[in-house]
Amino acid sequence: IGGCWNLAVNSPHCGRFAVQLDSDDIYHHQDVLQRIVDKFLDEKCGMVVGSYTLTDFDGNILPPGLIDHREWTDANGANNALRINGLGAPRAFATSLIRKISFPNVSYGEDYAVGLAISREYRIGRIYDSLYLCRRWEDNTDHALSHAKINANNTFKDSVRTVELAQRKLLNERNLIRKVDEMYERQRNSWPLFADNLRNLKDASEESERVFLPEYPAQEIVKILAAHRRRSAIADVTWKAIRERGCFLCEEARPEEQEKIETESFDILVNPYPVVETHLTIPSKKHEPQLLAGKISDMLHFAKVFRGMVVFYNGGKCGASAPDHFHFQAVELPEKLLFKVDEGIGFSSPEETCVPYISIGGAEERVISRMAEDVMKRLPRIDEEQEARVNVAVIYDGEQFNMKIFLRRAHRPQCFGEGDGKLTISPATLEMLGLFITSSQHDFEALTAEKVIEIYRDVCVTSDNLNRIKTLLKENE
């Protein structure tokens, strides 16, 4: 049947619209085709679905009579087509659109498959009055189907729905990226604070400088001077200070100028104090503490959506300036700072880097999520803290995920502070990746190779601790 449809709609004799009428059925009224065409023109539809009346071969009405699928309405949205087993009839298609989509070459569910594909991006018009008589007789295709045939039909429609769900997810991801790009441009033009800080950042990036670590020649370190980041660097994150300041990530406390893009559980915002040209903050819709357990799958999802960007998590005592409200961040980093892809679970080598980490890599999102959740559960914690001290970064390159869990023991280095010999550098995930953001000329000049290594050794776990963690994880492998 699908092949017959394709032959018909691709014929030069096919007009602007193609309308179904099964060979054993008849239109109910003289104006059926006109009503369908009017619906296409009035609502700019890609497809129109009507209603029908069940009758015997002579036109006598059979129970339940009118089949109008009123459970599928505009209010339910396009995704409701995924929850029902048929779209109704008669079905009509905009010829130019159906030529692009094409019917699967099968004799059951071909109309449902193209209906789902159309409803993904186009409106489907509905007519709830009876447009044709669906005549039942002993040998027609819908008469007294066996359980095996019913099961086969349902299995096919389930397979169609599975494919369609994947396509809708891809579409949502593309739409989300487009919306984020548009929001970024609007905020650049409408929010003076954000625009000023972007300009400051551009000036800062032009003065960035590479720091060479003689002991670790393969480790890339870049420092930039970004005065607008001073507020984050020196943020007081004691619970007393947090209670007094309130939560700046809750929607009601955000600046009037700040736009949002909503997802099911998170909002997507521009970071008004960016560290790189593209810098997003992704707070939870709920006010909940900065604890990663149960949210690694969300982190991987955003990494997949923002392909090529680094999505990261700063632990509550590892650089988060808002430990009272759960959030991720996402940035585009210079390629030289991006980490290579590792397969499975691995550990950093003390000979190659002074930043201890656990790496988790692979192509299967669910596998990565499960492994990372398991690792987080097993990592040792300090005192009575609710989770291990970590910074986490993940990137998706289009084929594989690569996650780094950086292992921390201290929130800030011993040199943190203001005055002689002090630096206002509070390391978080980006510093673990090698991007040091300084907020004063003094800090920028004082951040030497020796100082970088000193900061890492102050805030990261020791080599002995890393070896104990490796042993602990391998024992529970």
Side-chain angles (χ1 to χ4, degrees):
I1 294 175
C4 294
W5 263 109
N6 290 333
L7 186 65
V9 298
N10 285 291
S11 166
H13 300 294
C14 187
R16 186 174 176 185
F17 306 111
V19 188
Q20 168 216 5
L21 178 64
D22 289 349
S23 59
D24 45 5
D25 300 330
I26 58 175
Y27 288 136
H28 207 158
H29 309 287
Q30 294 287 338
D31 63 349
V32 167
L33 292 177
Q34 187 63 57
R35 292 194 62 186
I36 291 173
V37 170
D38 289 345
K39 179 65 72 169
F40 272 116
L41 300 179
D42 290 345
E43 298 187 6
K44 306 294 187 292
C45 306
M47 178 179 177
V48 170
V49 178
S51 304
Y52 59 90
T53 301
L54 283 178
T55 72
D56 62 18
F57 195 73
D58 296 321
N60 299 307
I61 295 177
L62 298 175
L66 180 66
I67 307 296
D68 56 11
H69 285 286
R70 285 188 178 271
E71 74 278 9
W72 182 33
T73 67
D74 286 343
N76 287 329
N79 284 336
N80 194 52
L82 293 162
R83 304 184 185 100
I84 57 181
N85 219 29
L87 299 179
R91 294 169 289 275
F93 308 94
T95 303
S96 60
L97 182 57
I98 202 64
R99 283 174 176 169
K100 294 177 185 176
I101 294 173
S102 292
F103 288 81
N105 192 17
V106 294
S107 288
Y108 176 81
E110 73 290 337
D111 47 359
Y112 182 63
V114 295
L116 289 183
I118 290 171
S119 69
R120 189 190 315 156
E121 298 187 67
Y122 298 91
R123 178 176 178 79
I124 295 184
R126 300 303 312 279
I127 298 173
Y128 294 108
D129 300 329
S130 178
L131 297 188
Y132 80 21
L133 304 182
C134 181
R135 300 194 292 179
R136 290 289 185 258
W137 50 285
E138 188 173 344
D139 295 323
N140 75 358
T141 55
D142 291 331
H143 180 76
L145 296 179
S146 67
H147 288 298
K149 186 63 175 174
I150 292 172
N151 288 339
N153 289 346
N154 287 336
T155 298
F156 176 73
K157 285 192 173 178
D158 283 344
S159 70
V160 168
R161 279 186 276 261
T162 300
V163 171
E164 182 60 28
L165 277 169
Q167 290 299 316
R168 292 186 186 212
K169 287 180 180 179
L170 287 174
L171 179 65
N172 287 342
E173 290 168 7
R174 290 196 297 269
N175 287 340
L176 186 59
I177 293 170
R178 175 181 54 78
K179 289 178 182 177
V180 168
D181 289 342
E182 291 171 352
M183 177 180 70
Y184 224 83
E185 285 307 307
R186 285 196 305 272
Q187 293 279 258
R188 191 195 299 267
N189 295 320
S190 65
W191 193 358
L193 171 68
F194 178 57
D196 288 345
N197 286 336
L198 278 177
R199 283 191 290 270
N200 294 339
L201 183 65
K202 185 176 181 181
D203 295 338
S205 62
E206 291 174 356
E207 298 180 14
S208 65
E209 187 176 301
R210 168 86 187 274
V211 179
F212 294 92
L213 306 184
E215 297 177 55
Y216 307 98
Q219 192 167 346
E220 297 278 357
I221 303 295
V222 174
K223 62 179 180 179
I224 63 173
L225 173 57
H228 64 276
R229 292 291 300 179
R230 184 171 183 80
R231 174 181 174 184
S232 295
I234 64 173
D236 187 346
V237 292
T238 62
W239 287 112
K240 179 177 181 295
I242 288 170
R243 282 194 299 271
E244 289 175 354
R245 67 153 165 77
C247 178
F248 55 82
L249 288 182
C250 282
E251 183 172 8
E252 58 272 16
R254 295 174 198 161
E256 277 186 23
E257 301 92 337
Q258 189 156 43
E259 295 184 27
K260 66 174 180 178
I261 294 173
E262 292 190 71
T263 68
E264 186 174 354
S265 301
F266 293 85
D267 289 337
I268 301 174
L269 319 170
V270 301
N271 190 312
Y273 300 94
V275 298
V276 291
E277 175 69 18
T278 302
H279 187 173
L280 303 173
T281 301
I282 309 172
S284 170
K285 286 179 175 293
K286 296 191 297 184
H287 183 77
E288 54 187 335
Q290 187 78 336
L291 296 170
L292 189 57
K295 290 189 169 60
I296 290 176
S297 60
D298 296 308
M299 190 177 193
L300 294 171
H301 167 73
F302 284 115
K304 196 169 186 179
V305 171
F306 299 123
R307 182 176 305 182
M309 293 181 69
V310 176
V311 177
F312 64 94
Y313 166 83
N314 291 327
K317 294 194 174 181
C318 301
S321 54
D324 52 326
H325 192 122
F326 186 87
H327 64 286
F328 299 117
Q329 296 180 67
V331 294
E332 283 185 357
L333 287 185
E335 188 174 348
K336 58 190 174 184
L337 292 177
L338 300 183
F339 32 80
K340 69 182 189 305
V341 175
D342 295 318
E343 189 74 29
I345 295 182
F347 299 87
S348 60
S349 166
E351 290 75 34
E352 294 181 356
T353 176
C354 53
V355 183
Y357 63 77
I358 300 168
S359 66
I360 304 176
E364 291 295 328
E365 190 171 341
R366 284 181 295 179
V367 174
I368 302 295
S369 178
R370 190 167 63 246
M371 286 195 293
E373 290 282 1
D374 191 56
V375 167
M376 286 295 297
K377 286 178 186 175
R378 298 180 191 281
L379 288 177
R381 302 173 187 179
I382 295 175
D383 300 327
E384 300 299 316
E385 292 178 12
Q386 291 182 273
E387 77 174 8
R389 294 187 179 184
V390 294
N391 296 108
V392 183
V394 63
I395 190 169
Y396 179 71
D397 64 5
E399 295 182 357
Q400 288 193 309
F401 294 92
N402 191 17
M403 177 180 287
K404 293 286 187 286
I405 302 175
F406 298 99
L407 306 170
R408 299 279 296 268
R409 60 177 173 149
H411 183 193
R412 284 167 170 159
Q414 295 182 38
C415 66
F416 178 81
E418 298 180 273
D420 292 342
K422 298 292 185 179
L423 300 177
T424 54
I425 294 178
S426 184
T429 304
L430 296 184
E431 283 76 15
M432 298 296 106
L433 288 169
L435 181 64
F436 276 76
I437 298 97
T438 63
S439 57
S440 70
Q441 189 67 40
H442 168 268
D443 290 356
F444 184 80
E445 294 173 358
L447 190 66
T448 61
E450 293 76 15
K451 188 60 72 173
V452 167
I453 292 175
E454 177 188 316
I455 289 171
Y456 279 143
R457 288 177 176 165
D458 279 351
V459 301
C460 296
V461 301
T462 63
S463 296
D464 288 343
N465 279 335
L466 177 61
N467 288 331
R468 281 196 287 271
I469 290 170
K470 287 167 66 173
T471 301
L472 173 67
L473 292 178
K474 286 182 178 179
E475 284 175 354
N476 292 282
E477 196 169 9

